[in-house]
Amino acid sequence: MSDITILLVDDHPIVREGYRRLLERQPGYRMVAEASDAASAYEAYKSVSPDVVIMDLSLPGASGLEAVRHIRQWDKRAHILVFTMHGGAAFALKAFEVGASGYVTKSSDASELIRAVALVAKGGRALSDDIAREIAAKRLAQPQSLTDELGPRETEILRLVALGKTTDEIAELLRLSPKTIQNYHYQIKSKVGAPTDAHLVWIAIGAGLVNAESLDLKSPITANR
């Protein structure tokens, strides 16, 4: 039986080294490429065509959600396992919407990651226990989150707006025109009922799309406009 070939995507070299060593100690697992951002992940996938992509979501610039989307647009058969610190159901559900095959949090036991890689490589779906509980709780909870009505691309743009990115910066990251980003921005505000970008920031924080501790809440992005 041939090895499971893996592309590992994470922006921290030391983190990649640690997980590479963990995975390569497993019989039948072989790391064939690494990447540190969404663009290099896409190029690496096209170059090596791995059996499984292990994808972090917190990448510089465009997030892992956009990387999953881009890879899956190029290869509908791509098997992508999201492996991230984001433990909220909102991110997990959006990841599956754009084509991820599994979602495991970095707080999970190492054995969960190893099992998930094997399952995803066979075409299955994998969830770490904590995420499975989060999704179940979300499905049972009422009312629904404001972000439930947003598509994956709208969710990514909301995240970038909340991080303080300008229209031109978002357009460059997502390879779209500024006009298209402006249209998305308007649609997002309309769907979630946010009159200003300040409201969008708080909605993104509430949905777990951004961490409040990482934001400068006194910056211009939080001013009404």
Side-chain angles (χ1 to χ4, degrees):
M1 185 175 178
S2 60
D3 289 347
I4 296 173
T5 57
I6 300 168
L7 162 61
L8 178 62
V9 185
D10 193 292
D11 64 327
H12 297 290
I14 295 176
V15 173
R16 291 201 307 271
E17 180 181 356
Y19 286 116
R20 182 177 66 246
R21 289 180 177 179
L22 168 68
L23 292 163
E24 289 186 334
R25 286 201 300 267
Q26 312 307 313
Y29 287 51
R30 180 163 57 92
M31 198 74 60
V32 294
E34 297 179 23
S36 60
D37 57 38
S40 60
Y42 177 64
E43 294 302 325
Y45 185 89
K46 291 196 298 181
S47 175
V48 301
S49 297
D51 296 318
V52 176
V53 180
I54 299 177
M55 178 73 69
D56 192 10
L57 290 183
S58 299
L59 301 175
S63 76
L65 278 179
E66 193 65 19
V68 173
R69 173 203 294 280
H70 207 182
I71 290 171
R72 287 279 297 181
Q73 284 179 337
W74 191 77
D75 182 3
K76 294 296 185 184
R77 300 169 299 174
H79 297 150
I80 305 174
L81 171 64
V82 171
F83 185 51
T84 180
M85 288 298 297
H86 290 289
F91 260 122
L93 293 171
K94 298 304 179 184
F96 283 115
E97 281 187 49
V98 294
S101 300
Y103 198 104
V104 174
T105 61
K106 290 183 177 179
S107 60
S108 304
D109 189 84
S111 61
E112 287 204 62
L113 173 63
I114 294 165
R115 286 194 297 269
V117 170
L119 184 58
V120 167
K122 295 176 183 177
R125 285 183 172 262
L127 277 175
S128 56
D129 289 341
D130 54 348
I131 284 296
R133 289 192 296 269
E134 284 284 335
I135 291 176
K138 181 177 176 61
R139 293 304 192 195
L140 293 172
Q142 294 293 335
Q144 291 185 313
S145 168
L146 291 172
T147 58
D148 288 349
E149 298 302 316
L150 301 181
R153 172 144 282 173
E154 291 170 324
T155 302
E156 172 70 349
I157 292 172
L158 170 59
R159 185 188 73 88
L160 292 171
V161 168
L163 289 173
K165 301 293 184 183
T166 67
T167 295
D168 287 343
E169 288 171 335
I170 297 172
E172 182 177 357
L173 287 169
L174 303 186
R175 302 179 184 181
L176 297 171
S177 71
K179 180 62 175 176
T180 298
I181 298 301
Q182 289 172 351
N183 289 339
Y184 270 119
H185 196 160
Y186 175 80
Q187 290 169 10
I188 292 165
K189 282 184 173 180
S190 177
K191 284 186 176 182
V192 303
T196 68
D197 283 357
H199 289 81
L200 290 181
V201 172
W202 291 113
I203 288 170
I205 292 171
L209 300 180
V210 295
N211 186 344
E213 295 178 357
S214 68
L215 301 178
D216 178 6
L217 297 181
K218 295 180 181 180
S219 70
I221 190 68
T222 61
N224 289 355
R225 67 187 192 194

